[in-house]
Amino acid sequence: MIIITFGTFDLLHIGHIKILERAKSLGDKLIVGVSTDKFSIEKKNRKPVYSENERKKILESLKFVDEVFFEESFDKKREYIKKYKADIFVMGNDWNGKFDEFNDICKVKYFDRTPSISTTQLIEKISQV
Ligand code: CTP
């Protein structure tokens, strides 16, 4: 089984680790679409702290991540799912229902987010020190 997931994964934290670990446990190969800096700014109105190349390299070094590619836009998700022949599409439940349209080509699963942590919260916490 091939699993695919997407995200910015800036300032990698325990919530990211848990969803990636859980996604990999569903199959044999985990492929991650990491948002480019440009796409991330469009989504979050903020430039990521780590560059796209740094975020890609960090994800590639995780033992449960098999392959990482750059995600350039929401519109290309269907194309990426097909290109990487993904059987299962995983996202956190902040996206609940948003990607159900892909159920025609793969199984769409939403995992509960890890409570009380996000990149946004981390940035706020660090900037208060
Ligand atoms: N995620 C999670 N638990 C968290 C934070 C993120 O499961 N506490 C998941 C998201 O649901 C998504 C993936 O990790 O599937 C990548 O999320 P991303 O947006 O990069 O991380 P956030 O910490 O949510 O970033 P931000 O605060 O900038 O929105």
Side-chain angles (χ1 to χ4, degrees), residues 13-111:
H13 58 67
I14 193 72
H16 296 146
I17 297 294
K18 283 188 176 168
I19 196 168
L20 293 171
E21 192 173 28
R22 200 170 160 204
K24 170 70 181 225
S25 76
L26 298 176
D28 317 292
K29 191 172 178 191
L30 176 61
I31 300 171
V32 182
V34 65
S35 308
T36 58
D37 290 339
K38 188 169 170 286
F39 178 41
S40 202
I41 293 164
E42 281 164 25
K43 276 193 302 183
K44 298 180 189 270
N45 289 315
R46 178 182 76 229
K47 192 177 174 234
V49 177
Y50 293 153
S51 72
E52 57 194 32
N53 288 323
E54 288 166 337
R55 289 180 288 109
K56 182 168 181 277
K57 182 86 183 158
I58 289 167
L59 288 166
E60 281 167 348
S61 71
L62 298 178
K63 64 180 176 192
F64 33 76
V65 172
D66 298 286
E67 195 173 335
V68 184
F69 68 92
F70 286 123
E71 182 190 20
E72 289 172 345
S73 82
F74 282 117
D75 308 341
K76 290 192 175 169
K77 276 210 168 61
R78 182 172 287 273
E79 196 182 299
Y80 296 135
I81 294 168
K82 285 186 182 163
K83 180 178 175 190
Y84 292 98
K85 299 181 171 36
D87 302 292
I88 308 175
F89 173 103
V90 166
M91 284 303 285
N93 67 354
D94 42 328
W95 295 95
N96 230 346
K98 300 249 167 60
F99 300 112
D100 287 356
E101 64 187 282
F102 303 133
N103 265 313
D104 60 339
I105 49 169
C106 64
K107 200 168 185 178
V108 178
K109 280 185 178 275
Y110 304 97
F111 286 162

Side-chain angles (χ1 to χ4, degrees), residues 6-9 13 15-16 19 44 46 91-92 94 113-114 117-120:
F6 297 87
T8 299
F9 299 98
H13 58 67
H16 296 146
I19 196 168
K44 298 180 189 270
R46 178 182 76 229
M91 284 303 285
D94 42 328
R113 277 171 72 93
T114 303
I117 186 141
S118 71
T119 301
T120 308

